[in-house]
Amino acid sequence: MSLNRNVSSIASLISDPSRAAILLHLLDGRCHPAGDLAAAAGITPQTASFHLAKMAELGIVTVEKHGRHRYYRIAKASDAEMIEQLLSFAGPVPVISLRQSDQMKKLRHARMCYDHLAGEAAVRIAESLQRAGHLQKDGLQLHVTASGERFFADLGLDLPQLRKKRRAFSRCCLDWTEREHHLAGALGQGLTELMFAMDWFRREEQSRAVRITQEGMQGMAERFGIQLD
Amino acid sequence: MSLNRNVSSIASLISDPSRAAILLHLLDGRCHPAGDLAAAAGITPQTASFHLAKMAELGIVTVEKHGRHRYYRIAKASDAEMIEQLLSFAGPVPVISLRQSDQMKKLRHARMCYDHLAGEAAVRIAESLQRAGHLQKDGLQLHVTASGERFFADLGLDLPQLRKKRRAFSRCCLDWTEREHHLAGALGQGLTELMFAMDWFRREEQSRAVRITQEGMQGMAERFGIQLD
DNA sequence: TCCACATTTCGATGATAATAGAAACGTCCA
DNA sequence: TGGACGTTTCTATTATCATCGAAATGTGGA
């Protein structure tokens, strides 16, 4: 239940390190049980529960009960993008350890931004689609052109179905590692889903990072004209 | 002195209502004495001083001593834009009351975003420049085309000089009232300065709002092909 | 030289909120 | 049916921090 979501209340949500850690963990778009989030933030389950209740009250997260677990996830894609943007404000994250920089490298390469792809791969895809004239930027919208309609249909996407969803159809999302836009909205989600179905990408366990498969490399080259290494 | 600017510290800066009020007041890009900022936030000078010291330590604001006054301003344009963006997170600006406050209407129409123009007028200008082929969007950059070079030179802007500045030359800035991009960077600042010099716009006292003059109307129509009312 | 004024520093206070212990609740499993 | 487990609620503790009064600093003007 979204209450009084003014600037201060949103900011104070993220200003607490424990909550920031929880939100960061939830940014992978997956559902997470409360206990996992507590562990991720390094706090007791009670405290995590306290924070999650506060977030739920603001409508940032939603709960799903399954057995004795309660699975939390970020409620709206737009909020996930908001948090992503806040990350970009923090500036270049200082590298602490080699292990961390390795993980960071992976994240920069390809990761989930809630329900759609982000990172270098996603930015390159968005660029390619615009260069080919399939998408056209208009403010924060990304219009699908006539050639784009054919392209996505050919790829196997049901655009009329995606348009029906009660959310923005096709829009830009600022990538905090690349500092460029990638594709978000129903189309971004649908395309990401499709690419996973085609096994172009595979999710890593316990992480937002995404791995590109051999099929993915090939497909990206053939379909989008992108050479990733 | 930019110290450890992580997400939490940035967010906690804005999470406090008093600090938020101060920052909002500083968003006009002008210098403000500490006392004014205290009054604007409704706190005592001591408390304002406390907050300002904290912001200065994070490198968000800088001080300039003039006589017995200390003038504060936002240190970097990029930080001002960050705060502008945080405002847009407050949600799809809900209609607060039937009669929108007069001030709000003015702000939506035209206002300062730190050192460049924002609001409907600014978005329309940016659109116009792209439509005419003077600017070309590329990610978050706005490239000046060959025709753009001529256009701006003709207008009276010294582009080589603007390029020399140690900041982004020409880039997009998200307008939180229009939810579209307007022109920022050295070019946005230079163009705004020029338009003020030509008396197209005039600043309102004690506000970020900007008034368009008769000359401005005429100039906008002739130069940019924009009809503002 | 003295006073007014803008601002900061110091010190104290009071409110807020993050935290974890204890206990309760509900679910799964043996 | 009983116990383990994940989670929440309740409660107390603790630390933090925004705030302001008092005093200090520094500047300008008379």
Side-chain angles (χ1 to χ4, degrees):
Chain A
M1 293 303 127
S2 172
L3 281 172
N4 194 22
R5 299 184 59 178
N6 53 28
V7 193
S8 291
S9 68
I10 290 287
S12 72
L13 223 108
I14 307 160
S15 67
D16 178 69
S18 299
R19 278 194 295 263
I22 290 176
L23 285 171
L24 219 64
H25 213 72
L26 285 171
L27 262 193
D28 64 358
R30 286 195 262 226
C31 292
H32 292 273
D36 280 17
L37 295 170
I43 49 180
T44 58
Q46 305 98 291
T47 307
S49 179
F50 165 76
H51 286 308
L52 287 165
K54 191 172 277 187
M55 294 187 207
E57 197 181 340
L58 271 165
I60 297 278
V61 300
T62 51
V63 206
E64 244 175 82
K65 288 177 65 173
H66 278 125
R68 51 186 161 183
H69 294 265
R70 299 216 183 172
Y71 290 93
Y72 286 90
R73 63 181 179 80
I74 295 179
K76 289 188 317 208
S78 62
D79 285 338
E81 286 168 26
M82 173 189 88
I83 298 164
E84 277 265 337
Q85 291 213 16
L86 276 175
L87 283 177
S88 70
F89 292 158
V93 183
V95 178
I96 299 165
S97 69
L98 271 180
R99 175 94 188 75
Q100 197 168 355
S101 83
D102 192 49
Q103 182 65 11
M104 193 61 204
K105 234 183 254 175
K106 282 184 186 168
L107 285 179
R108 253 203 296 274
H109 196 232
R111 67 177 181 279
M112 293 304 283
C113 175
Y114 187 61
D115 62 1
H116 57 269
L117 203 65
E120 191 200 345
V123 168
R124 297 281 295 277
I125 287 174
E127 279 173 0
S128 152
L129 288 169
Q130 285 176 82
R131 211 177 327 108
H134 299 326
L135 291 179
Q136 201 159 17
K137 201 177 273 189
D138 171 22
L140 290 181
Q141 307 271 328
L142 277 171
H143 286 303
V144 179
T145 63
S147 87
E149 294 277 347
R150 285 192 300 276
F151 176 81
F152 288 119
D154 198 44
L155 211 60
L157 273 181
D158 185 356
L159 260 59
Q161 190 63 34
L162 289 175
R163 269 188 235 273
K164 271 190 207 147
K165 298 202 178 181
R166 274 199 330 201
R167 61 181 291 193
F169 171 59
S170 172
R171 51 186 301 277
C172 293
C173 175
L174 184 59
D175 197 296
W176 66 276
T177 51
E178 300 295 306
R179 298 192 164 254
E180 300 276 346
H181 284 135
H182 59 243
L183 177 62
L187 182 59
Q189 185 271 324
L191 180 60
T192 303
E193 193 178 301
L194 178 66
M195 292 192 297
F196 271 96
M198 295 192 298
D199 198 33
W200 285 16
F201 296 97
R202 285 193 201 141
R203 302 216 39 171
E204 299 215 344
E205 288 302 319
Q206 307 284 28
S207 162
R208 305 168 57 197
V210 159
R211 220 172 62 244
I212 307 180
T213 65
Q214 280 299 328
E215 288 90 337
M217 300 273 199
Q218 204 173 329
M220 299 267 283
E222 285 172 11
R223 295 290 194 158
F224 300 111
I226 300 171
Q227 207 60 47
L228 284 169
D229 50 355
Chain B
M1 315 270 146
S2 174
L3 279 172
N4 196 20
R5 299 183 60 179
N6 54 28
V7 194
S8 293
S9 67
I10 290 288
S12 73
L13 235 131
I14 306 160
S15 67
D16 178 69
S18 299
R19 277 194 295 261
I22 289 176
L23 285 171
L24 221 63
H25 212 72
L26 285 172
L27 263 192
D28 64 359
R30 284 195 264 226
C31 292
H32 292 272
D36 281 18
L37 295 170
I43 49 180
T44 57
Q46 306 97 291
T47 308
S49 179
F50 165 75
H51 287 307
L52 287 166
K54 193 172 277 186
M55 294 186 206
E57 197 181 341
L58 271 165
I60 297 279
V61 300
T62 51
V63 206
E64 242 175 82
K65 289 178 64 174
H66 279 126
R68 50 187 160 184
H69 294 266
R70 298 215 183 172
Y71 290 93
Y72 286 90
R73 63 182 179 78
I74 295 179
K76 290 188 316 208
S78 61
D79 284 338
E81 286 167 27
M82 173 189 88
I83 298 164
E84 277 267 337
Q85 291 213 16
L86 275 174
L87 285 175
S88 68
F89 292 156
V93 189
V95 181
I96 306 151
S97 68
L98 280 181
R99 40 189 173 149
Q100 293 273 0
S101 88
D102 196 46
Q103 183 63 10
M104 192 60 201
K105 235 184 251 176
K106 281 184 188 168
L107 283 180
R108 252 205 294 275
H109 196 230
R111 68 178 180 280
M112 293 304 283
C113 174
Y114 186 62
D115 62 1
H116 57 270
L117 203 65
E120 191 199 346
V123 168
R124 298 281 295 278
I125 288 174
E127 278 172 1
S128 153
L129 287 170
Q130 284 177 83
R131 212 175 327 106
H134 298 327
L135 291 180
Q136 201 159 16
K137 201 178 273 189
D138 172 23
L140 290 180
Q141 307 271 328
L142 277 171
H143 286 304
V144 179
T145 63
S147 87
E149 295 277 347
R150 285 192 300 276
F151 176 82
F152 288 118
D154 197 44
L155 211 60
L157 274 181
D158 185 356
L159 260 59
Q161 190 64 33
L162 288 175
R163 269 187 234 273
K164 271 189 207 149
K165 298 202 178 182
R166 274 201 329 204
R167 58 182 293 194
F169 170 59
S170 172
R171 50 187 303 278
C172 294
C173 176
L174 185 59
D175 197 294
W176 66 277
T177 51
E178 300 295 306
R179 300 195 161 252
E180 299 277 347
H181 284 135
H182 59 243
L183 177 61
L187 182 58
Q189 184 271 325
L191 180 60
T192 302
E193 193 179 300
L194 178 65
M195 293 192 298
F196 271 97
M198 296 192 297
D199 199 34
W200 286 16
F201 295 97
R202 283 193 203 142
R203 303 217 38 170
E204 300 215 342
E205 288 302 319
Q206 306 285 28
S207 161
R208 303 169 56 196
V210 159
R211 221 172 62 243
I212 307 182
T213 64
Q214 281 299 327
E215 288 89 338
M217 301 273 198
Q218 204 174 328
M220 299 267 284
E222 285 172 10
R223 296 291 195 155
F224 300 111
I226 300 172
Q227 206 63 45
L228 283 169
D229 49 354

